[in-house]
Amino acid sequence: MAGGSGIDVLGQFELRPVLGGLGEALRFSQSPLYMLLAVCLVLAFLYFGMRPAAVVPGRFQAAAEVCYEFIRNMAVDTIGPEGAAFFPFIFTLFFFILAGNYIGLLPFSFTFTSHIAVTLGLALMVFVLTVIVSLKVQGFRFFAHFMPAGASMALAPLLIPIEILSFLSRPVSLSIRLFANMVAGHVMFDIFASFVIMLAGFGVVGDVFAIGPIAINMALVALELLVGVLQAYVFAILTCIYLREAVAH
Amino acid sequence: MGVMMKTVRAGLLAAVSGVSLLAMAAPGAYAAGMPQLDFHNPLVTGQVIWGAVIFLGFYLVLSRVMLPRVGRVLEDRSTRISSDLEVARAAKQDADKAVAELQQARKDALAEAQANLQKALDEEQRASEQKMQEINARLASEISDAEQRVAAEKVRAFAALKDIAADTTQALVTRLTGSAADAALVAQKVEGASAHRTL
């Protein structure tokens, strides 16, 4: 990590093709590999958790049920009765991001949510979905939302561009929030880890002082565990809020 | 619900394909250092397409297989709990009814026992009263018999008393005078004296 001319904190985000030439030809880097891993982990968790299908659940099954009910309640409470139809989508979104964030916390792994291409892709998918649902449900009345009800007509030339801009900036803020949080966390890990290696060069004194950055990194892991679930939750709840607007009559 | 589901699915498909096209045609914004912004790298845009495919697969497996399974288990549980509650409620009703019946039976038995007891007591009382009356009657007759006998004795005694008094008077007079008195006169005097006394 510590490069020749200083600290290389961004090297961890570099994409490399896996499986050599085949990966290069298919544009298959470690990012999709970790996506697959995350998806398989979530599916395995649900599969093995729900395999007993017991009336009185064990710990594992209870955990899977809590996940299900948490997202279902979030979708139905936020979106309304129509939320049940969007529940699988919100569940997929939440656990895709959560698993990505958490797998990225393991040493030597890769965090695919730290790539703006991925987060922007997810955000644009949500954006396009909300626009399609809005047009389907509300028809052309959807465009009336760009003029806030009750505002004076004189303000329309000012309000309408602002509303359109704020609507269009949704995917940007949605994607950059997740991307920036993940990048910042992992850059901090790398910086403090590099300090340890630099201090190791100063002999015994350095070894003693290196305890500091290690302790900070341990605290950062705890913080990142919080950030990981919080960002997944924010992404999912904002999606729910956008969808509620879309299905509102 | 079904219509909404179809809308979601169609929307997702359109969104995924739209984003993929957008990513392919993304402008080559190149920032030195940040590998995430190196859009010339085919791997950066490649992960969007792979991500779309993986996400879609994840969504399909979850929405078709996994989540319905979890939902079925939860639904089974809630129906089972409500049916169990129904059974428990019915059992409680039965138990309540049985308790009420038991209490009624106890009350009836108590009332019957009370009535029996009262009847026995009444009978006993009546019998004892009758006995008492009989005893009283017998006693009264015995008392009256005795009184009659006493009165007869008294009369007899009084009669004897006059004889005794006459004999005594006769004897006294004989001793005092030396000659026997006239018996008819003595009897008359005794009769007169005893008439003055109230015995």
Side-chain angles (χ1 to χ4, degrees), chain A residues 16-35:
Chain A
R16 286 175 197 84
V18 292
L19 301 168
L22 185 66
E24 192 133 31
L26 292 172
R27 298 179 167 196
F28 197 85
S29 56
Q30 74 269 52
S31 174
L33 186 68
Y34 276 94
M35 287 180 196

Side-chain angles (χ1 to χ4, degrees), chain A residues 15-244:
Chain A
L15 293 165
R16 286 175 197 84
V18 292
L19 301 168
L22 185 66
E24 192 133 31
L26 292 172
R27 298 179 167 196
F28 197 85
S29 56
Q30 74 269 52
S31 174
L33 186 68
Y34 276 94
M35 287 180 196
L36 275 178
L37 183 64
V39 164
C40 289
L41 273 177
V42 174
L43 290 177
F45 166 65
L46 285 177
Y47 178 76
F48 288 110
M50 293 314 290
R51 201 160 54 163
V55 175
V56 178
R59 288 182 196 187
F60 209 21
Q61 193 187 335
E65 286 174 7
V66 163
C67 293
Y68 177 93
E69 290 192 317
F70 171 65
I71 304 293
R72 191 178 182 87
N73 290 344
M74 179 167 84
V76 173
D77 291 350
T78 313
I79 303 173
E82 298 95 335
F86 295 104
F87 158 64
F89 174 65
I90 305 292
F91 192 94
T92 311
L93 198 60
F94 179 81
F95 279 96
F96 188 70
I97 296 169
L98 181 70
N101 292 350
Y102 273 6
I103 285 176
L105 285 178
L106 298 173
F108 308 110
S109 70
F110 180 83
T111 323
F112 59 80
T113 45
S114 69
H115 267 256
I116 184 73
V118 174
T119 62
L120 188 63
L122 290 172
L124 281 175
M125 175 177 64
V126 169
F127 181 75
V128 174
L129 179 70
T130 55
V131 170
I132 289 170
V133 172
S134 298
L135 288 174
K136 189 105 180 168
V137 173
Q138 308 173 15
F140 285 101
R141 276 180 299 126
F142 161 63
F143 296 103
H145 287 299
F146 294 116
M147 180 62 204
S152 133
M153 263 304 164
L155 286 172
L158 186 65
L159 281 177
I160 290 172
I162 290 174
E163 287 291 321
I164 290 174
L165 204 63
S166 79
F167 184 73
L168 291 178
S169 64
R170 277 174 179 184
V172 178
S173 68
L174 204 55
S175 60
I176 288 179
R177 185 180 301 114
L178 177 59
F179 157 73
N181 267 286
M182 289 302 117
V183 168
H186 284 267
V187 165
M188 288 217 285
F189 279 140
D190 215 319
I191 287 172
F192 285 106
S194 308
F195 283 169
V196 178
I197 294 166
M198 279 163 64
L199 283 166
F202 296 125
V204 180
V205 183
D207 286 352
V208 172
F209 279 105
I211 293 169
I214 290 174
I216 290 173
N217 251 0
M218 285 169 68
L220 276 178
V221 171
L223 179 72
E224 283 303 303
L225 282 172
L226 176 69
V227 168
V229 69
L230 199 67
Q231 288 306 317
Y233 179 73
V234 165
F235 207 104
I237 196 88
L238 281 173
T239 304
C240 286
I241 290 170
Y242 298 156
L243 282 170
R244 180 183 56 190

Side-chain angles (χ1 to χ4, degrees), chain B:
Chain B
M1 188 79 154
V3 175
M4 194 56 94
M5 210 70 174
K6 262 187 203 136
T7 311
V8 174
R9 209 160 291 144
L12 267 179
L13 264 175
V16 166
S17 46
V19 168
S20 307
L21 283 174
L22 203 90
M24 298 283 271
Y30 184 76
M34 267 197 129
Q36 292 99 317
L37 300 179
D38 179 14
F39 289 111
H40 288 309
N41 185 352
L43 291 175
V44 172
T45 47
Q47 64 180 337
V48 177
I49 297 156
W50 278 112
V53 171
I54 292 166
F55 189 91
L56 195 66
F58 190 32
Y59 172 78
L60 289 177
V61 173
L62 279 177
S63 64
R64 298 253 167 110
V65 184
M66 284 302 176
L67 295 178
R69 265 176 56 182
V70 183
R72 256 200 311 279
V73 169
L74 292 177
E75 206 164 312
D76 279 358
R77 178 174 311 146
S78 70
T79 54
R80 183 146 169 198
I81 285 173
S82 59
S83 72
D84 280 5
L85 273 179
E86 205 58 54
V87 168
R89 218 170 281 135
K92 193 186 173 297
Q93 248 167 18
D94 286 354
D96 284 351
K97 217 163 69 185
V99 166
E101 271 169 17
L102 182 69
Q103 263 165 359
Q104 187 60 43
R106 242 188 67 172
K107 227 159 71 179
D108 290 352
L110 196 69
E112 201 182 336
Q114 195 75 42
N116 279 345
L117 186 66
Q118 196 61 47
K119 210 166 79 185
L121 279 175
D122 285 353
E123 237 161 62
E124 198 60 39
Q125 199 169 5
R126 213 167 327 115
S128 69
E129 263 171 17
Q130 204 175 352
K131 217 179 216 171
M132 195 66 99
Q133 269 173 358
E134 277 168 17
I135 288 170
N136 280 347
R138 213 180 61 212
L139 282 179
S141 76
E142 273 173 16
I143 285 168
S144 70
D145 278 2
E147 274 171 354
Q148 270 171 14
R149 266 205 316 272
V150 166
E153 278 307 309
K154 215 165 129 185
V155 168
R156 210 156 48 91
F158 274 125
L161 196 65
K162 275 171 202 163
D163 286 347
I164 291 166
D167 284 352
T168 308
T169 310
Q170 193 78 27
L172 278 172
V173 169
T174 309
R175 183 81 57 91
L176 285 172
T177 60
S179 61
D182 181 28
L185 185 71
V186 170
Q188 193 195 337
K189 288 291 173 194
V190 167
E191 195 73 43
S194 67
H196 288 288
R197 310 231 357 186
T198 53
L199 273 170

